[in-house]
């Protein structure tokens, strides 16, 4: 199974999903459940810092609604290889 079928919204293996300010996104990994960063959490992009750190605001309902969070690029892989990207997709 290729990464494009698992993550259909991703443009390339380079991790460039075209993130822009105010773009709604959804988290694809459980990064920190206690801080509200769970698989499926909806966020809005604030900015990308130096191409390696994503600043976003949680917009999902719950106790963390409105929190500003930082998400790093992560190494992801499948049977075809590995690549680095933000663990998000466009919502």
């Amino acid at each position: 199974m290729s990464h494009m079928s698992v993550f259909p919204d991703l443009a390339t293996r380079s991790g460039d999903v075209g993130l822009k300010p105010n773009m709604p996104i959804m988290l694809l990994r459980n990064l920190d459940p206690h801080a509200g960063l769970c698989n499926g959490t909806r966020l809005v992009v604030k900015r990308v810092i130096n191409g390696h750190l994503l600043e976003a605001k949680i917009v999902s309902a719950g106790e963390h609604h409105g929190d500003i969070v930082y998400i790093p690029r992560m190494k992801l892989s499948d049977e075809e290889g590995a690549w680095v990207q933000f663990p998000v997709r466009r919502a």
Side-chain angles (χ1 to χ4, degrees):
M1 177 184 291
S2 77
H3 77 283
M4 293 306 284
S5 62
V6 175
F7 305 114
D9 290 8
L10 300 180
T12 64
R13 283 186 177 263
S14 69
D16 180 14
V17 294
L19 298 174
K20 299 181 189 311
N22 299 314
M23 176 183 283
I25 56 173
M26 183 171 30
L27 194 59
L28 297 175
R29 297 281 185 269
N30 290 328
L31 297 181
D32 187 355
H34 296 292
L37 295 176
C38 302
N39 184 24
T41 299
R42 298 211 179 251
L43 308 112
V44 172
V45 174
K46 302 299 278 174
R47 65 184 174 140
V48 177
I49 303 168
N50 295 327
H52 299 287
L53 192 63
L54 174 63
E55 180 181 38
K57 182 167 113 176
I58 297 176
V59 295
S60 294
E63 67 179 278
H64 298 288
H65 179 81
D67 288 359
I68 302 296
V69 295
Y70 297 90
I71 301 169
R73 284 187 183 248
M74 297 178 65
K75 183 176 182 181
L76 302 176
S77 63
D78 63 14
E79 53 278 342
E80 295 177 10
W83 64 98
V84 178
Q85 71 177 46
F86 292 112
V88 300
R89 72 172 182 95
R90 296 176 189 152

